[in-house]
């Protein structure tokens, strides 16, 4: 089961860093209950093993003038692996696309997009997304407001599951 190869200290380190990635190693070590040098070694190991993919600031898009957030559901003509990969690579190049997820079911991909205004999003939608090779359909939903936006995973659920399976 995923998560079982990590011990409780590693999982606590991950939970603490997920909540506050800016804390110092000394503060992290104190919260985890170990000294600073082994804490730093564990963090580096977690980074090397891919459990920690990076660190970044949680930037408020609206405060920076990106007033529009849209989810775009994209259907493709072909779902051949090469075509799926080509679409994913194209999404990587579009700055307004902040997330791209392949789905099963009626929709092939869902994209989370941000734009300064509706006109900017409309230009992207008609000039790039709907006209992209292999795109058959695009349905969009404008976000009115967000009620929850939590990064990462719920570590309390992981701990409950590990305790139950132990």
């Amino acid at each position: 089961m995923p998560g079982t190869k990590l011990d409780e200290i590693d999982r606590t380190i991950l939970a603490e860093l997920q909540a506050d990635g800016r804390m110092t190693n000394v503060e992290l070590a104190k919260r985890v209950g170990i000294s600073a040098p082994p804490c730093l070694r564990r963090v580096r190991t977690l980074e090397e093993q891919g459990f920690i993919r990076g660190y970044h600031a949680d930037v408020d898009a609206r405060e920076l003038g990106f007033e529009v957030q849209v989810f775009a559901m994209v259907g493709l003509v072909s779902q051949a692996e090469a075509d799926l990969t080509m679409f994913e690579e194209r999404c990587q190049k579009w700055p307004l696309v902040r997330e791209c997820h392949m789905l099963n079911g009626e929709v092939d991909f869902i994209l989370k997009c941000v734009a300064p205004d509706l006109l900017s999003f409309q230009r992207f939608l008609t000039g790039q997304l709907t006209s992209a090779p292999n795109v058959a359909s695009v349905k969009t939903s404008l976000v009115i407001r967000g009620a929850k936006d939590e990064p990462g995973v719920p570590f309390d659920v992981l701990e409950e599951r590990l305790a139950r399976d132990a």
Side-chain angles (χ1 to χ4, degrees):
M1 176 176 80
T4 56
K5 57 185 166 183
L6 299 175
D7 66 16
E8 187 175 350
I9 293 172
D10 288 332
R11 294 190 307 271
T12 304
I13 287 171
L14 291 173
E16 291 293 337
L17 286 175
Q18 179 176 274
D20 179 5
R22 286 184 53 127
M23 77 177 78
T24 66
N25 182 60
V26 172
E27 177 63 25
L28 177 61
K30 187 186 324 177
R31 290 185 188 188
V32 174
I34 60 177
S35 64
C39 183
L40 185 57
R41 279 194 299 274
R42 282 176 177 259
V43 170
R44 291 210 172 115
T45 299
L46 291 167
E47 291 169 348
E48 290 166 5
Q49 292 176 340
F51 289 100
I52 298 173
R53 294 187 304 194
Y55 302 89
H56 64 272
D58 184 8
V59 177
D60 188 324
R62 288 186 192 246
E63 286 295 322
L64 291 168
F66 289 84
E67 297 292 329
V68 174
Q69 186 177 73
V70 177
F71 287 96
M73 287 67 70
V74 180
L76 301 180
V77 175
S78 165
Q79 291 77 29
E81 185 59 37
D83 294 321
L84 296 169
T85 301
M86 190 181 318
F87 182 77
E88 290 168 333
E89 289 169 355
R90 188 173 300 276
C91 285
Q92 292 290 334
K93 296 176 183 169
W94 287 326
L96 296 185
V97 175
R98 306 313 298 167
E99 295 181 28
C100 171
H101 304 275
M102 186 169 67
L103 307 175
N104 72 338
E106 292 179 37
V107 173
D108 294 309
F109 287 91
I110 187 165
L111 311 179
K112 178 182 173 185
C113 305
V114 297
D117 49 52
L118 279 172
L119 182 58
S120 298
F121 179 75
Q122 180 185 4
R123 285 185 185 133
F124 163 70
L125 179 66
T126 58
Q128 296 179 60
L129 181 56
T130 58
S131 63
N134 197 34
V135 171
S137 65
V138 178
K139 295 179 183 176
T140 60
S141 292
L142 180 67
V143 174
I144 303 301
R145 70 174 174 228
K148 185 174 183 178
D149 187 5
E150 290 288 325
V153 299
F155 277 94
D156 54 339
V157 173
L158 175 62
E159 293 301 329
E160 288 172 12
R161 184 173 171 203
L162 291 172
R164 184 186 34 177
D165 293 346

